[in-house]
Amino acid sequence: MEEDEPIEASLERQPSNYNPLRRFVLAKGDEKSYKQQYADMYFLRLAKLKPVVEKIADDAWNDFEIAGEKVRQVERVLDVRQGELCWVVGTVFMDMPLKPNILDDIAKDHWISAPPARQKFISPSGQDQTMLEDESGRLRLTGAFLQHVMLVTGCIVAVMGTENANGDFEVIDVKVPDLPRQPQRWERDNGASNDQPGGGQIAFVSGLGISGDEGDTLSMDLLMEYLLGEAGGESDQAEACRISRVVIAGNSITEGTPLALREEEKKSSKKYGYDSSAYNPAPTAHLDGFLATLLPSIPITLIPGDRDPANASMPQQPIHPAMFPHSRAYATKPGSIEPGWLDSSTNPWEGDIEGWRVMGNGGQPIDDIFRYVEGDDRLGMMEALLRWRCGAPTAPDTLWCYPFQDRDPFIIEETPHVYFVGNQPRFETTVIEGPAGQIVRLISLPKFKETGEIVLLDTDTLDVEVMQFRVHDED
């Protein structure tokens, strides 16, 4: 080898600037109680968002007239008078006979087998009713205009119209809180933009669905090799080095097959109806190995989903580090403010990545909204959720959640630059705009287990691209 022959330069991973908000972390131990009522959440939500909706409605309807009659605001839904043109603010409640009922849950003890969960709550016989309620009472909404507006239980809206002879409120227009203020990039990072190189990417993936079976390994190995820069040629490795962080958005594991038991084990008594000998640790062990392989090279944000080993109610708390004996060395240290390279976080999640405000969840809020509305426009549901300023409007009605008493953390205080939702039927993306020039990138993440797709977000332009990892079966 000649002395002047060039030596190949080593590739370095793009650094990650990461600043989570921790808005959804619950109190520990005795400070966390489930004894309180859920009604306080609706009152808190209405008290917080009512002034916002009132201002928007007043600006829009201030000079509105019909046949010489000028519209006026009434403070409570029970103050509406028949034949009077008015508008009022309240909380939407969808009275749907096919929604889950607590009495049905009690009756499950007498069922031979429980009926399958409904995909939609919509009644085919047209028995569904839309209500508007506040602390004074409830008002039934009607009118053709409602067919063109997406509404679900828990969203705060202003409605304009008149009460008819049947006591129903004929709606002619609806206003929502719309997008709140959007922070500037690097607003929380004290001008860190001056020290950050450009050209980075964030990798989003959801629905890994690791079951511990051998069928998982091929596509997972391809993904792991790509993220580590071990796959493809030099150009592929250079592209992989641009990825500064991986965000795993829910359902990292799937329900594993219970271990086979011997006859004498089957006859043994179960404690509290649970048989620990049938527990299959393979899914969690494989996920731990996957994370431990990636973490020396790239930081990871791990968001739980409805199939992961975390609490079922929203907000889901971080998956405990004890589940990851090999990768927990990279986790956030107890009591530390600085996040570790493995940030096992809450669902929903919100924070700043590369200066951009990013918000997302494992899919449960959008999946629950899907049950209330016609069609399957997931991006439309995501946009509506942001414009309602509520990250989980159907909680606590049909989406389990913690009974908050003094705050509703699901209220969206600031508009994110990026809003992602995991475990959706397919990849979709769009950009929406707010009334004050807010720009939001919406990303619907598909299930990796079914599609082999991950989404790469450019941290300079917020453009997205899809990378697919597929194993072709040999004939």
Side-chain angles (χ1 to χ4, degrees):
M1 178 178 178
E2 297 181 2
E3 293 182 0
D4 58 350
E5 184 176 340
I7 301 176
E8 184 178 354
S10 60
L11 297 174
E12 294 185 1
R13 174 78 63 185
Q14 187 90 2
S16 175
N17 192 294
Y18 181 70
N19 193 353
L21 278 172
R22 313 290 189 198
R23 289 183 54 227
F24 302 99
V25 177
L26 298 178
K28 307 292 185 183
D30 295 338
E31 299 179 6
K32 182 169 59 176
S33 172
Y34 289 87
K35 296 179 180 180
Q36 54 267 36
Q37 295 292 319
Y38 284 94
D40 290 339
M41 286 190 62
Y42 291 118
F43 296 140
L44 289 168
R45 191 177 300 171
L46 180 60
K48 181 76 173 180
L49 295 179
K50 184 176 181 179
V52 178
V53 185
E54 284 180 332
K55 184 179 185 309
I56 293 174
D58 186 63
D59 292 342
W61 300 331
N62 186 37
D63 299 326
F64 187 84
E65 294 183 5
I66 294 182
E69 181 183 4
K70 189 175 180 179
V71 67
R72 75 176 188 91
Q73 178 188 4
V74 296
E75 288 297 326
R76 306 184 309 163
V77 298
L78 291 189
D79 293 336
V80 174
R81 295 293 177 259
Q82 182 176 333
E84 183 180 26
L85 181 63
C86 62
W87 62 269
V88 64
V89 178
T91 306
V92 173
F93 175 76
M94 304 299 293
D95 187 5
M96 311 175 82
L98 297 185
K99 282 197 306 184
N101 189 301
I102 183 61
L103 297 179
D104 293 337
D105 293 339
I106 296 175
K108 286 180 181 178
D109 294 336
H110 305 286
W111 291 342
I112 298 175
S113 62
R118 299 183 187 275
Q119 287 193 340
K120 293 280 190 180
F121 298 149
I122 301 172
S123 172
S125 58
Q127 296 178 331
D128 302 332
Q129 297 181 347
T130 303
M131 306 287 188
L132 189 74
E133 63 181 18
D134 60 13
E135 65 278 2
S136 69
R138 182 176 290 179
L139 185 67
R140 184 164 56 196
L141 306 181
T142 61
F145 188 85
L146 294 179
Q147 299 177 4
H148 309 289
V149 182
M150 185 182 297
L151 295 176
V152 299
T153 293
C155 58
I156 310 298
V157 300
V159 295
M160 179 175 64
T162 58
E163 186 179 63
N164 59 25
N166 297 325
D168 299 334
F169 192 80
E170 292 275 353
V171 178
I172 59 176
D173 199 5
V174 175
K175 295 297 178 183
V176 298
D178 219 322
L179 302 183
R181 169 192 176 272
Q182 187 173 54
Q184 297 292 323
R185 188 184 182 188
W186 304 109
E187 185 172 297
R188 294 177 59 231
D189 296 292
N190 299 322
S193 59
N194 299 328
D195 304 325
Q196 299 301 315
Q201 291 181 324
I202 306 168
F204 292 90
V205 61
S206 73
L208 293 175
I210 299 174
S211 63
D213 299 332
E214 293 184 359
D216 292 336
T217 58
L218 293 177
S219 58
M220 292 294 296
D221 285 349
L222 289 174
L223 172 61
M224 184 167 56
E225 290 176 2
Y226 174 77
L227 294 174
L228 292 174
E230 298 176 353
E234 294 182 1
S235 61
D236 296 317
Q237 295 172 359
E239 285 294 313
C241 288
R242 294 178 56 202
I243 301 174
S244 61
R245 175 169 293 272
V246 176
V247 177
I248 303 177
N251 289 358
S252 299
I253 65 174
T254 189
E255 298 176 357
T257 304
L259 298 177
L261 301 179
R262 298 190 300 268
E263 285 299 323
E264 58 270 19
E265 292 175 333
K266 293 180 180 180
K267 297 178 181 179
S268 62
S269 62
K270 299 179 181 179
K271 187 175 183 180
Y272 307 118
Y274 170 70
D275 188 357
S276 60
S277 62
Y279 168 68
N280 186 358
T284 307
H286 279 69
L287 175 60
D288 183 30
F290 174 76
L291 298 175
T293 305
L294 290 179
L295 281 167
S297 175
I298 187 169
I300 297 174
T301 299
L302 181 62
I303 300 172
D306 59 354
R307 295 184 179 180
D308 291 321
N311 59 300
S313 60
M314 302 290 282
Q316 287 184 286
Q317 297 304 284
I319 301 176
H320 200 280
M323 305 296 293
F324 309 120
H326 296 94
S327 54
R328 66 184 176 191
Y330 299 91
T332 304
K333 299 296 184 289
S336 174
I337 300 178
E338 294 295 325
W341 269 50
L342 173 60
D343 185 24
S344 183
S345 58
T346 60
N347 175 28
W349 178 90
E350 186 177 6
D352 292 350
I353 306 180
E354 312 307 334
W356 301 107
R357 178 61 52 83
V358 181
M359 185 175 71
N361 58 67
Q364 295 100 311
I366 297 299
D367 291 342
D368 205 52
I369 292 175
F370 164 79
R371 297 182 175 96
Y372 282 82
V373 300
E374 298 280 0
D376 191 20
D377 181 10
R378 300 295 174 128
L379 291 179
M381 300 174 201
M382 294 169 64
E383 178 179 358
L385 182 145
L386 292 178
R387 296 194 187 276
W388 294 329
R389 294 198 191 185
C390 188
T394 58
D397 185 32
T398 53
L399 184 64
W400 294 349
C401 78
Y402 180 78
F404 294 96
Q405 293 295 291
D406 55 355
R407 65 187 181 99
D408 182 359
F410 300 119
I411 293 177
I412 300 173
E413 304 282 356
E414 294 181 318
T415 299
H417 299 99
V418 179
Y419 178 51
F420 66 89
V421 175
N423 300 290
Q424 297 305 292
R426 58 197 166 273
F427 165 73
E428 294 178 295
T429 185
T430 190
V431 175
I432 63 171
E433 296 186 22
Q438 305 97 318
I439 304 294
V440 188
R441 165 69 68 178
L442 306 183
I443 307 175
S444 169
L445 301 175
K447 301 173 184 176
F448 182 84
K449 177 82 170 181
E450 299 176 0
T451 65
E453 295 176 347
I454 68 171
V455 177
L456 302 178
L457 174 72
D458 190 289
T459 57
D460 290 337
T461 64
L462 296 186
D463 292 335
V464 296
E465 61 177 305
V466 178
M467 182 75 66
Q468 186 175 47
F469 302 86
R470 178 179 296 175
V471 179
H472 296 279
D473 295 331
E474 295 184 0
D475 295 334

